[in-house]
Amino acid sequence: RDVTMTSNQLGKAVTSSPWARRLLASSSYRQSRRRHPNVSSFRSPSSLTCYHINTATDQNERRQQPQYYFSRPFSSSSSPPPEQPPQGDEIEFQAETRQLLDIVTHSLYTDKEVFLRELVSNASDALEKLRHLQTAGEISSDGGDDAAIPLEIRITTDEAANTLTISDTGIGMTRDDMVSNLGTIARSGSKAFVQEMNMKSQLGGGGGGTDAAIGQGIIGKFGVGFYSGFMVADRVDVRSKPAANATTADAPPLVWSSTGSGSYTISPLPDAVRQDRGSSIVLHLRPECSDYANESTVEKILKRYSNFVGYPIYLNGNRVNTLDAIWLHDPKSVSQDTHAAFYKYISHMYDEPLDTLHFRMDAPLDIKALFYIPSFHQEKYGMGRMEPGVSLYCRKVLIESKSPDILPEWCRFVKGVVDSEDLPLSISREKPQDTKLVGKMRKALTRKIISHLATMAKKDTEKYKTEFYREYGFFLKEGVCQDYESQKPLSKLLYFETSKGMAGELVSLDEYVSRCPPEQKDIYYLYAPSRELALQSPYMEGFAKSNREVVFIYTAIDDFVMANLKTFEGRNLTSADRSGIDDASTKDKDKQNDDKTKDDDESNSTNTTNPKLTTTEADQFCAWFQTTLSAKVSQCRTTDRLTSSPAVVTDNESGAMRRMMRMVETSDGGGEFNVTPLPKQTVEINPEHEIIVGMHRLKERDPVLAKVLAEQVLDNCLVAAGLLDDGRSMLPRLNDLMLCIVKSNSDQDGNSESCGDGSSSASSSKEKEEKTADDATTTDETKKE
């Protein structure tokens, strides 16, 4: 009152006062209205809103005890204050307490068994509060009856009485604590404790330490976990005795009791019931929830959710949480034996881990992670698709088992734990709340795993190839197809066999690129069921002639990977069955001899030792081939890529993908009617091959036989490309051709000479109907044809 200073003088006076700076930094001024009922506000000449707090009831005393709390910072601007919103009646929200309690009890949690996790977490918080106050010196830990009581949690089951009791030796509660903590829904006593300690630390009033250190072991934050007990109990009793300090030394133990119907009672604890320091929650279970009075059921739940709580948990006198949360330890301090034991616990497997990844990171969250790679996976044994193997913890308490949000699906072979104290959780503490933040965490963890695998591939290549990649290469390929953001780094972890390597020898795409000649701009790959068939494939003839390396892929997923990857380090991934892949040396030779084409055509037309179609004849044959098989062939052209094969189909769909799609289409019992028909093919012929030359000459003499041979050549191309849906369709045609050859040889007066000398002897029967057997010249010409 009686403010005579200017705004600048008032600002200097306040900012120069240490207690005022601490006060403005705290939250006490924001809570002044709630703490002091007699509050009046006025505006000072400096446009600063001040709150006049009067704690006295007499008018004279109020004048003598003025206190001012400033709710807005000072401003050096002389501009007029902003217009204030219109003042009205301030009315608080109302809540139907019974309905709110019913929602919290029956509609908040997914599984009823979560109640035990929540109550054990509350007990752990009570122990942590006591430990912190003892460390700060606010509660003595030396001498007295309480000094000999250890910090622990004890759980007792009573099947006869159908009760479950959770006891702790923590800080306990007074009557006021019971009213404020248990009688107020959604008020977290643990959160309030952390805020109070932080305020004391800021004001220099004790309870030192940073905010993170003060709240490091505190689990609760929402103030609804206690009421989860009403999911399984029709009555809950809370017996409590506060830890002895200056104000609670003589506080008697009390009992809080409620049926969850909207009211509760607080009464002195009977003398016949003993209650030491701390609290005991007695759940009188519902008849349908009597399983929670069974020791084995409770033990199973404790091991699942609360096995890593920092204080000992005893169930009917037996220690339950014997394992330590090793992911919170320094990675260098954990031994291999400890890792092996912990891996077997979280994975429920009997093998030793192939590799371990233990790390900490602080972006985008403070994360402690521990990942294991098993020595084998179960999917290859027909056990079905594996579930995610990493669980989410918060302050050593299980939040979500086998969480699908922590790692991408292709990382489901990884087993482990992720713990984050800063991760926002839903009010039921069963799922993360901030989806965007979880996505950032997922990306960071995925990058860490890929980086670890890349390090293994570089420093321990043999282990990576022989142990990891042979077991988990399928998952990496799945990641290339599904995880676009990780596609590029994952592609560097892929290994394949090549045409220049030995059987079983794997090389990375980086190694392939390093061996490519400078003029090669593409990475070539070929799909085949096995290495032997790949080497015998007609598509390999041009690459073998030009000494170009080809990557061999043997499964449909490999073909799918190449189609999704498309490029690697600026080079296109090109299938060997694409058109336009002719031998480079042949192209250069053809370019040099371009002026001699006509002379070559004339010499080829008269050459009987090494027959070859001229350019004109090749064009005529391609037109005839395309017209004859117009229902199956869209285009026919010549190629220089072939040496020992008469023809191939190019620019076709993947044979592996077609078989996979065929399997999908017929899986519902639709039969062959639902199978997508094979599209028309592009055929490339070898004009120098004897079969093509012979067919060209035969198409005029015996068009029926020539057509049968053309159909067989096309089917041979489809077989080589893996596109023939059913090879049995060729059997009648092959039988007719063999019969023709047998008859042709039997009609030659016992001549054992076969049609493998460059002729199609199946046409000799028709020739002999027109010529006499005594004409030796005609017979010789027929043999050559």
Side-chain angles (χ1 to χ4, degrees):
R1 62 188 176 89
D2 300 330
V3 177
T4 58
M5 295 183 291
T6 64
S7 60
N8 291 335
Q9 292 173 334
L10 187 60
K12 291 180 181 179
V14 173
T15 55
S16 62
S17 174
W19 66 266
R21 288 200 301 269
R22 290 197 299 269
L23 183 60
L24 291 174
S26 69
S27 60
S28 60
Y29 77 97
R30 291 192 297 267
Q31 301 173 358
S32 60
R33 284 182 178 270
R34 185 170 59 187
R35 293 182 178 179
H36 301 282
N38 300 318
V39 179
S40 61
S41 63
F42 65 92
R43 183 164 304 279
S44 67
S46 62
S47 299
L48 176 70
T49 300
C50 302
Y51 291 103
H52 186 180
I53 312 300
N54 292 322
T55 59
T57 57
D58 183 73
Q59 185 73 17
N60 295 327
E61 293 181 3
R62 290 183 183 179
R63 293 196 187 98
Q64 297 174 5
Q65 299 179 1
Q67 298 179 15
Y68 294 93
Y69 287 93
F70 304 100
S71 66
R72 286 174 41 199
F74 289 97
S75 174
S76 58
S77 175
S78 59
S79 59
E83 183 178 355
Q84 296 296 314
Q87 298 295 325
D89 295 336
E90 183 176 347
I91 303 174
E92 295 184 356
F93 288 102
Q94 302 296 319
E96 179 62 40
T97 306
R98 181 175 300 180
Q99 181 66 17
L100 180 60
L101 182 59
D102 184 79
I103 293 174
V104 171
T105 302
H106 299 101
S107 304
L108 191 60
Y109 298 96
T110 304
D111 297 321
K112 288 185 177 181
E113 64 182 20
V114 176
F115 83 93
L116 191 57
R117 179 197 70 178
E118 297 296 294
L119 297 182
V120 170
S121 298
N122 290 347
S124 175
D125 285 349
L127 295 169
E128 184 66 20
K129 295 174 189 176
L130 178 62
R131 186 195 65 81
H132 180 78
L133 292 177
Q134 289 176 343
T135 303
E138 297 188 23
I139 294 180
S140 176
S141 59
D142 299 329
D145 296 336
D146 290 350
I149 301 177
L151 300 179
E152 62 187 15
I153 302 171
R154 291 191 173 272
I155 300 175
T156 306
T157 61
D158 190 342
E159 294 189 57
N162 198 29
T163 60
L164 176 67
T165 304
I166 299 100
S167 302
D168 66 77
T169 58
I171 193 172
M173 288 182 289
T174 63
R175 180 184 180 87
D176 292 340
D177 293 333
M178 286 184 172
V179 172
S180 60
N181 294 338
L182 304 183
T184 306
I185 302 174
R187 182 186 184 277
S188 174
S190 298
K191 185 177 181 180
F193 175 82
V194 173
Q195 292 176 346
E196 183 180 355
M197 293 298 102
N198 290 336
M199 186 183 301
K200 289 182 179 180
S201 176
Q202 294 174 2
L203 297 177
T210 63
D211 295 358
I214 293 174
Q216 187 173 8
I218 301 296
I219 301 172
K221 61 173 63 176
F222 296 115
V224 296
F226 167 76
Y227 307 100
S228 63
F230 290 105
M231 290 193 299
V232 298
D234 51 21
R235 193 178 93 230
V236 177
D237 296 336
V238 181
R239 306 191 299 259
S240 186
K241 180 181 179 181
N245 58 18
T247 59
T248 62
D250 299 328
L254 302 172
V255 56
W256 180 98
S257 182
S258 176
T259 59
S261 59
S263 62
Y264 60 89
T265 61
I266 299 177
S267 58
L269 187 66
D271 296 337
V273 181
R274 179 180 176 181
Q275 176 63 46
D276 294 327
R277 183 197 66 202
S279 301
S280 297
I281 301 175
V282 183
L283 303 176
H284 299 269
L285 300 173
R286 303 175 187 271
E288 65 272 16
C289 300
S290 58
D291 288 344
Y292 297 112
N294 181 270
E295 182 177 355
S296 60
T297 302
V298 174
E299 182 179 6
K300 181 180 178 181
I301 299 173
L302 289 174
K303 285 184 175 294
R304 180 180 182 184
Y305 291 102
S306 306
N307 206 26
F308 303 104
V309 170
Y311 295 96
I313 301 176
Y314 294 92
L315 175 60
N316 295 335
N318 299 318
R319 177 78 180 267
V320 176
N321 57 337
T322 56
L323 288 178
D324 194 10
I326 65 174
W327 64 83
L328 300 179
H329 296 181
D330 184 0
K332 297 180 180 179
S333 65
V334 184
S335 65
Q336 290 296 328
D337 293 338
T338 304
H339 275 304
F342 188 76
Y343 160 76
K344 293 178 181 179
Y345 166 76
I346 64 172
S347 65
H348 305 289
M349 299 175 69
Y350 58 85
D351 62 319
E352 298 291 327
L354 175 64
D355 202 20
T356 302
L357 177 58
H358 188 186
F359 63 94
R360 297 181 178 183
M361 56 193 308
D362 54 7
L365 292 171
D366 181 20
I367 297 172
K368 287 92 173 176
L370 177 57
F371 295 148
Y372 296 105
I373 300 176
S375 59
F376 67 93
H377 68 89
Q378 297 90 346
E379 288 189 10
K380 66 179 181 180
Y381 296 120
M383 300 297 291
R385 193 174 184 85
M386 294 188 299
E387 296 179 340
V390 178
S391 298
L392 177 63
Y393 283 73
C394 181
R395 302 177 187 268
K396 301 186 288 187
V397 176
L398 179 65
I399 302 301
E400 186 176 16
S401 178
K402 300 179 181 179
S403 173
D405 303 321
I406 299 177
L407 293 176
E409 191 174 0
W410 65 267
C411 287
R412 61 187 178 276
F413 65 91
V414 178
K415 312 294 182 183
V417 171
V418 172
D419 194 321
S420 176
E421 298 180 0
D422 303 331
L423 186 65
L425 301 176
S426 63
I427 193 171
S428 63
R429 299 202 306 140
E430 293 177 318
K431 292 283 290 185
Q433 189 176 27
D434 192 337
T435 305
K436 186 176 181 180
L437 191 60
V438 172
K440 292 181 179 180
M441 181 181 71
R442 173 183 177 136
K443 293 178 183 178
L445 294 175
T446 304
R447 287 195 298 267
K448 197 72 175 181
I449 292 177
I450 294 176
S451 175
H452 180 73
L453 294 177
T455 302
M456 184 198 303
K458 182 178 180 180
K459 295 184 177 180
D460 197 349
T461 308
E462 190 64 23
K463 176 183 177 181
Y464 180 85
K465 290 182 180 180
T466 59
E467 297 183 43
F468 174 80
Y469 190 76
R470 292 190 183 277
E471 189 72 19
Y472 298 105
F474 174 84
F475 295 91
L476 301 184
K477 297 170 185 177
E478 182 182 332
V480 171
C481 299
Q482 292 183 350
D483 191 352
Y484 180 77
E485 294 183 352
S486 303
Q487 189 179 83
K488 185 175 180 180
L490 280 176
S491 64
K492 295 179 176 293
L493 301 176
L494 301 180
Y495 280 73
F496 304 94
E497 289 188 20
T498 67
S499 57
K500 290 187 176 181
M502 302 296 293
E505 181 182 355
L506 300 178
V507 299
S508 65
L509 294 179
D510 278 323
E511 294 176 271
Y512 176 96
V513 171
S514 66
R515 299 202 292 244
C516 288
E519 64 274 7
Q520 181 177 334
K521 304 302 180 183
D522 295 335
I523 298 175
Y524 300 106
Y525 67 91
L526 176 64
Y527 168 79
S530 65
R531 181 180 180 85
E532 291 74 19
L533 293 177
L535 292 172
Q536 297 171 10
S537 172
Y539 299 104
M540 277 298 300
E541 295 176 7
F543 294 99
K545 184 168 58 176
S546 61
N547 197 29
R548 283 180 291 179
E549 190 173 14
V550 179
V551 174
F552 291 158
I553 57 177
Y554 304 129
T555 62
I557 184 64
D558 289 334
D559 204 359
F560 203 58
V561 165
M562 296 299 182
N564 279 269
L565 197 54
K566 295 181 181 179
T567 61
F568 180 82
E569 296 296 329
R571 298 173 184 258
N572 295 325
L573 292 167
T574 305
S575 177
D577 59 12
R578 298 293 95 184
S579 61
I581 307 178
D582 293 332
D583 181 23
S585 60
T586 303
K587 287 184 176 181
D588 294 340
K589 183 177 179 181
D590 291 342
K591 185 176 180 180
Q592 294 174 1
N593 299 332
D594 187 53
D595 295 337
K596 301 180 180 180
T597 303
K598 294 183 179 180
D599 296 337
D600 292 342
D601 290 344
E602 293 177 359
S603 63
N604 287 334
S605 63
T606 58
N607 187 2
T608 59
T609 304
N610 185 20
K612 176 182 178 181
L613 296 182
T614 64
T615 303
T616 304
E617 291 174 335
D619 293 340
Q620 294 175 353
F621 180 84
C622 289
W624 170 82
F625 193 91
Q626 182 176 344
T627 303
T628 303
L629 304 178
S630 59
K632 299 180 179 180
V633 177
S634 61
Q635 186 180 2
C636 181
R637 55 174 177 256
T638 60
T639 183
D640 296 325
R641 66 189 296 175
L642 301 175
T643 56
S644 59
S645 299
V648 291
V649 292
T650 59
D651 297 331
N652 53 275
E653 63 177 326
S654 166
M657 291 300 299
R658 177 168 177 80
R659 281 193 297 275
M660 185 173 67
M661 294 304 299
R662 176 186 173 90
M663 198 163 44
V664 171
E665 290 173 347
T666 58
S667 61
D668 296 333
E672 296 294 330
F673 298 102
N674 292 335
V675 178
T676 303
L678 189 68
K680 292 184 179 182
Q681 302 295 312
T682 299
V683 180
E684 294 185 356
I685 64 168
N686 179 8
E688 299 182 3
H689 200 276
E690 293 177 324
I691 293 179
I692 301 299
V693 175
M695 288 175 59
H696 173 68
R697 296 176 181 177
L698 186 63
K699 65 184 176 64
E700 300 294 338
R701 296 189 182 94
D702 193 345
V704 176
L705 182 58
K707 180 180 179 181
V708 173
L709 292 174
E711 290 176 346
Q712 188 59 48
V713 168
L714 177 61
D715 281 354
N716 292 346
C717 295
L718 295 179
V719 171
L723 294 175
L724 192 64
D725 293 332
D726 193 348
R728 290 174 293 186
S729 61
M730 296 190 301
L731 293 180
R733 188 189 314 120
L734 289 174
N735 290 334
D736 291 341
L737 289 175
M738 289 189 292
L739 180 61
C740 183
I741 294 173
V742 170
K743 286 184 176 182
S744 174
N745 283 303
S746 63
D747 291 344
Q748 294 180 7
D749 296 330
N751 190 349
S752 61
E753 188 174 358
S754 66
C755 59
D757 58 351
S759 66
S760 180
S761 299
S763 63
S764 60
S765 59
K766 186 175 181 180
E767 295 291 336
K768 289 183 178 181
E769 293 177 359
E770 299 175 356
K771 298 179 176 62
T772 61
D774 297 333
D775 192 346
T777 304
T778 304
T779 304
D780 292 340
E781 291 177 356
T782 304
K783 289 180 180 179
K784 291 180 180 179
E785 291 175 359

